[in-house]
Amino acid sequence: MLQKISTHSGLNMRQVGGALLVFLSAVCFSSKAIMVKLAYRYHVDSVSLLTLRMAFSVPVFLIVGYLSKANKGEQHTEINAKDYFWLVLMGFVGYYLSSLFDFLGLQYITAGLERLILFIYPTLVVVLSAIFLGKPISRNQFIALGLTYAGVLLVLVGDVHTESQANMIKGGLLIFISAVTYATYLMGSGQLIPKFGAVRFTSYAMTLAALGVFAHYLIAGQHHLLQLPMPVYGYSFLMAMIATVAPAYLLSEGIRMVGAGNASIIASIGPISTIILAYIFLGEQVSFIQMVGTLIVLAGIILITLRKN
């Protein structure tokens, strides 16, 4: 009996520990939009800011990726050339394009609205799976989709008074494209993570994405990274460590401990966390209608996630 109680207690502690890691990951991820908006106050362009973020992040990903290469405990099948091709593609689509469109969109809309639009990616996975993989959408999923997009529209209506309509549409569209590319990445990565392992896959994908960002920076010809105001470097470093490296590995470990479905539900705190942080650090005001819209979106996301389990 004592052994059963001890085992049950250990399981609960594992669940609590995993849930805490996912929660911290979501809060860290949500801080990215805040740091981007703070850095934009110094008139830095989005490509330079994204390049600095990756420049500070990639050494850590390279080191962790190298160290994890020796540990093949998560790897269950042989990795072939085709797997590496898809890894390159997922890194390009999921992190490079998604980050680029996200940074571009944040020039035009509030941090709270950015996180809310970006967070509809679970519903996009359902839609894309129906289109490209032939997976039918259930009645509950249709309800969840309706709730999610109705909530986003409600928040958009609430933002009309604080953003110009042209900027809001442009920024919202850019963030939506970011969400689509991230949802595409999630669809493709499901087959690769069991082969590479979560930590190794994350390290490789982020490193490949960084190479894409560096190439973009060189092609764009904006060679002034050493001439930016000092606070921009500080925000870029914090963005790399707190909002990129730490949450990536916290989330991987959290998923291992509590499962992807539970992690998705816990990570729903992301939009609310961004709204609170934006209020504290950016002075962004939140209306009642925006909060209602946010709660409706979260209800739709949770319904989608529960249905998938």
Side-chain angles (χ1 to χ4, degrees):
M1 176 66 73
L2 288 175
Q3 184 178 3
K4 286 184 177 180
I5 293 174
S6 176
T7 303
H8 182 66
S9 175
L11 179 62
N12 285 341
M13 290 304 296
R14 176 188 174 90
Q15 294 286 320
V16 170
L20 181 60
L21 290 179
V22 176
F23 177 84
L24 290 174
S25 171
V27 174
C28 288
F29 266 132
S30 69
S31 69
K32 178 198 66 181
I34 311 303
M35 296 178 196
V36 171
K37 297 290 280 187
L38 288 171
Y40 278 161
R41 293 179 175 178
Y42 295 90
H43 309 290
V44 59
D45 63 279
S46 56
V47 175
S48 295
L49 187 61
L50 182 56
T51 302
L52 284 173
R53 175 202 184 191
M54 289 302 190
F56 285 124
S57 302
V58 77
V60 181
F61 286 119
L62 284 173
I63 292 170
V64 175
Y66 176 79
L67 294 176
S68 66
K69 188 177 181 180
N71 179 17
K72 297 187 177 181
E74 292 180 292
Q75 187 176 323
H76 303 295
T77 59
E78 291 296 322
I79 301 173
N80 54 41
K82 186 178 179 181
D83 295 325
Y84 281 108
F85 168 78
W86 283 107
L87 173 66
V88 173
L89 187 62
M90 289 300 101
F92 179 79
V93 171
Y95 283 114
Y96 163 59
L97 287 182
S98 182
S99 296
L100 179 62
F101 285 118
D102 185 35
F103 275 54
L104 290 172
L106 275 167
Q107 295 177 106
Y108 304 104
I109 62 175
T110 62
L113 181 57
E114 175 265 356
R115 180 56 45 176
L116 192 62
I117 297 174
L118 193 61
F119 212 75
I120 64 174
Y121 69 84
T123 67
L124 292 172
V125 171
V126 171
V127 174
L128 292 174
S129 297
I131 295 173
F132 295 106
L133 302 180
K135 294 184 178 181
I137 300 177
S138 67
R139 184 172 64 88
N140 280 358
Q141 287 175 327
F142 270 118
I143 294 173
L145 289 170
L147 282 173
T148 302
Y149 293 104
V152 170
L153 287 175
L154 199 59
V155 175
L156 285 172
V157 170
D159 251 23
V160 167
H161 302 295
T162 58
E163 301 284 342
S164 74
Q165 190 171 2
N167 280 352
M168 188 178 67
I169 293 173
K170 185 176 182 179
L173 182 60
L174 287 167
I175 301 300
F176 180 78
I177 295 173
S178 174
V180 171
T181 54
Y182 187 65
T184 304
Y185 159 77
L186 289 178
M187 287 179 57
S189 64
Q191 301 300 316
L192 297 175
I193 288 177
K195 295 183 178 183
F196 288 92
V199 173
R200 190 177 170 196
F201 175 79
T202 300
S203 299
Y204 285 5
M206 287 298 293
T207 301
L208 290 165
L211 294 178
V213 172
F214 298 154
H216 186 148
Y217 176 78
L218 292 175
I219 293 171
Q222 300 165 331
H223 304 155
H224 53 262
L225 282 186
L226 301 179
Q227 303 170 8
L228 297 171
M230 283 304 297
V232 173
Y233 300 109
Y235 289 130
S236 299
F237 179 78
L238 291 176
M239 197 188 313
M241 297 299 110
I242 297 175
T244 306
V245 173
Y249 293 121
L250 286 172
L251 182 60
S252 295
E253 184 64 15
I255 289 174
R256 187 184 69 82
M257 296 173 71
V258 302
N262 290 330
S264 297
I265 297 172
I266 298 165
S268 297
I269 193 66
I272 293 178
S273 173
T274 301
I275 288 173
I276 294 172
L277 291 174
Y279 175 79
I280 295 173
F281 293 102
L282 301 176
E284 292 184 5
Q285 299 301 312
V286 184
S287 66
F288 176 75
I289 192 170
Q290 288 173 305
M291 187 56 69
V292 170
T294 300
L295 294 176
I296 292 174
V297 171
L298 294 181
I301 292 169
I302 292 172
L303 185 58
I304 284 278
T305 306
L306 291 174
R307 181 60 183 172
K308 284 196 296 183
N309 284 317

